[in-house]
Every structure is written in structure tokens, then in C-alpha cells.
Amino acid sequence: MTLDAMDWALLAELQADARLSFSELSRRVHLSAPAVAERVRRLEETGVITGYHAKIDPALAGRPVSAVIRMNCYGPGCILRDEAVMAWPEIQEVDRVTGDTCCILRVSTWSMAAFEELIDRLARHGQPSSTMVLSTPVPWRPLSPGTPGMEPARGR
């Protein structure tokens, strides 16, 4: 799906506040409410918009220990093949990656003792290597179309 300028305008507004009504979105992007509703529906149906959720500060929600864990766990014991592991409440995000690491996990735990216990549980699936998160200077950034003229070269 190719996104046009109006799609990007809608996405910018929804990323800033996903609770906006269609009438408020309509006012902000200067398009009729039915047209806004149709475009948002299309963005949802095509998978561009994958969901709506609240951003939560893990530390303020009782999980002050955050880390990134690289897992070396290829083969049948890999955590990517274990749906139960993927549902552990400490695991916030999992990326499958290339290179000498199978996947990268972003985790938040209630304490250092809970973090240590998580590492022990992960070790049953392979070799975890962790890096503690000290701060997050850029906690989340909305996706944008980028700067015109700065697109990566294609076909080289």
C-alpha cells in the first residue's frame, strides 16, 4: 500500500493521540468525517494501523528494572518456538534478528531478583546476554514519511 500525504497526516494525528474522534481528526486534517473514517478503516484493514493502546511508564507501573536481552537459542529449544515464553509478563517486545543472535527481548521486571530469575528461566532455552537500560532518551517516536529527498537509494 502506498501512503499519500493525507494518510500520513492522519497517521501523525493518531500517533499523537489515538483517542481522537473522527470529527476532531476531520477538523485537524481538513477532510470530511466520512472520508476520514473511510481512510482510517482502510489503514486498519491493510495492516498499516495495527492497534490502539496506552503508553505506560514501566517504572511508574511497578517495573523499575528494564533491560535488553540478546538470546542465542537456535533450534528446537529456541524461545521463538515457545508460545508460553512469548506470553511471560516481563517480556514487552521481541525482535527476531540476523547475525550471531537469534532474537532481542525488551523486558521490564519488578526487581533485580525478578530479573535474575527471568535470566535463569531464559537460560533453559539458550544463552541470554543482558544489557541494563539506564534511561531512555527517546522513549518512542511516531513513524513519519521522512524527509523528502532523503529516501534510500534503490536498485544498487
Side-chain angles (χ1 to χ4, degrees), residues 41-106:
R41 183 194 58 73
R42 183 177 44 84
L43 291 166
E44 292 169 343
E45 287 178 353
T46 57
V48 173
I49 295 176
T50 60
Y52 301 89
H53 63 277
K55 297 289 291 170
I56 298 171
D57 182 315
L60 294 176
R63 295 190 187 180
V65 178
S66 292
V68 176
I69 301 172
R70 293 169 306 285
M71 286 295 298
N72 292 323
C73 58
Y74 300 97
C78 178
I79 66 168
L80 294 175
R81 292 189 166 100
D82 191 331
E83 290 181 24
V85 173
M86 295 293 106
W88 290 353
E90 303 92 339
I91 298 175
Q92 294 181 282
E93 190 174 336
V94 178
D95 292 312
R96 185 175 181 188
V97 298
T98 61
D100 60 356
T101 297
C102 169
C103 57
I104 297 173
L105 291 69
R106 176 119 183 164

Side-chain angles (χ1 to χ4, degrees), residues 84-143:
V85 173
M86 295 293 106
W88 290 353
E90 303 92 339
I91 298 175
Q92 294 181 282
E93 190 174 336
V94 178
D95 292 312
R96 185 175 181 188
V97 298
T98 61
D100 60 356
T101 297
C102 169
C103 57
I104 297 173
L105 291 69
R106 176 119 183 164
V107 303
S108 293
T109 64
W110 303 269
S111 65
M112 284 304 291
F115 178 73
E116 185 176 0
E117 189 269 334
L118 173 64
I119 292 293
D120 291 344
R121 283 188 285 144
L122 288 170
R124 297 180 199 135
H125 295 274
Q127 182 180 0
S129 176
S130 63
T131 302
M132 301 307 296
V133 174
L134 299 176
S135 68
T136 307
V138 181
W140 177 80
R141 182 175 288 154
L143 189 63

Side-chain angles (χ1 to χ4, degrees), residues 14-28:
L14 288 171
Q15 288 178 98
D17 184 357
R19 296 174 60 183
L20 293 173
S21 67
F22 287 143
S23 67
E24 179 60 18
L25 270 172
S26 170
R27 188 184 68 71
R28 290 185 183 195

